[in-house]
Amino acid sequence: MHGVKRTKVSPEAAEAKRLKELGKIQAYLTLEEDVLARDYSPEALKKTTELLDLNPEFYTVWNYRRHILTREIVALLGADLRLTVAYLKVHPKVYWIWTHRMWCLENIPRGPGDTEGWRNEMWKVEFGLVEKLLESDARNFHAWGYRRYILRSLPETAEKRTPQDELKYTTRKIEASFSNFSAWHYRTKLLGKMFEDMTPEQIAEKKDEGELHVLEA
């Protein structure tokens, strides 16, 4: 049609072409099945590339690819968090190790469905870590500073510590060593923040009652 000469195709050539197309379709379907098996490995990421080369409009694969990349990020950040723990056991007062740990925690992506799952999972060990370090050295100013950082930076849905919990913690540390300046400093910062959140009437009431009432609240 339209001035283009028809080329006669032999039955053998037509069959060969049909089989070739059938082979391509089968290979595509096999690749699709492999990709949608929900494997989040680097190999799975490579397969999503192969599938998207054939069909870039496959939105499910794009979504799946994002999940793989996000999990890779979580795995890498988790590895570095474990690395900083190993370093802090030997060098608990090196500022840059603490800084890198904070950076890792702050860059943990949300989990599937835009939840805080991954963030909560990684953040939940922080109080335990800092308490172990303060057991080794109750005067470690870096660890006390990091404890303040945890209190103000925990994900919204993570389990929290109340100001009263923290006051009791400082009480235990001060009773163990009255000259622990770091514990006293932490305590003053904590009380200052508590007073910032109070109305003038509440502050006056607390002053009249004394700090002991705050500790027993």
Side-chain angles (χ1 to χ4, degrees), residues 2 5 14 18 22 29 32 38 49 52 67 73 102 104 120 125 145-146 155 157 170 182 186 199 204 215-216:
H2 306 293
K5 268 186 147 185
R18 186 186 73 81
L22 186 62
L29 292 175
E32 179 182 310
R38 294 305 184 205
T49 303
L52 290 169
H67 279 296
I73 292 169
M102 289 187 283
C104 289
N120 289 344
V125 305
Y146 188 69
T157 55
T170 60
S182 295
Y186 182 88
T199 64
L215 288 173
E216 295 175 344

Side-chain angles (χ1 to χ4, degrees), residues 113-192:
D114 201 33
T115 68
E116 293 275 20
W118 283 328
R119 290 170 55 78
N120 289 344
E121 184 67 23
M122 291 192 176
W123 272 93
K124 74 179 183 181
V125 305
E126 296 310 294
F127 276 112
L129 168 67
V130 79
E131 284 180 9
K132 283 184 179 178
L133 290 168
L134 287 171
E135 284 172 11
S136 299
D137 180 3
R139 299 170 185 267
N140 185 339
F141 190 78
H142 294 279
W144 282 106
Y146 188 69
R147 194 177 182 93
R148 285 197 301 277
Y149 165 78
I150 298 170
L151 280 173
R152 68 174 182 269
S153 304
L154 279 171
E156 289 184 7
T157 55
E159 186 178 350
K160 303 289 196 304
R161 299 285 183 95
T162 66
Q164 286 76 17
D165 291 334
E166 289 301 290
L167 281 172
K168 289 174 183 177
Y169 180 78
T170 60
T171 298
R172 292 198 301 272
K173 290 299 181 183
I174 290 168
E175 287 176 347
S177 175
F178 189 78
S179 61
N180 187 340
F181 171 78
S182 295
W184 279 111
H185 180 73
Y186 182 88
R187 190 183 185 85
T188 60
K189 293 291 184 182
L190 181 63
L191 287 169

Side-chain angles (χ1 to χ4, degrees), residues 11 23 28 33 40 59 63 87 106 120 130 137 175 188 190 198 204 207 215:
Y28 177 86
E33 185 179 348
Y40 295 96
Y59 74 91
N63 188 48
Y87 286 161
E106 289 166 6
N120 289 344
V130 79
D137 180 3
E175 287 176 347
T188 60
L190 181 63
M198 292 179 184
K207 285 182 178 179
L215 288 173

Side-chain angles (χ1 to χ4, degrees), residues 68-78 107-109 122:
I68 296 172
L69 290 169
T70 306
R71 285 171 182 266
E72 284 294 304
I73 292 169
V74 171
L76 289 169
L77 290 172
N107 283 279
I108 298 167
M122 291 192 176

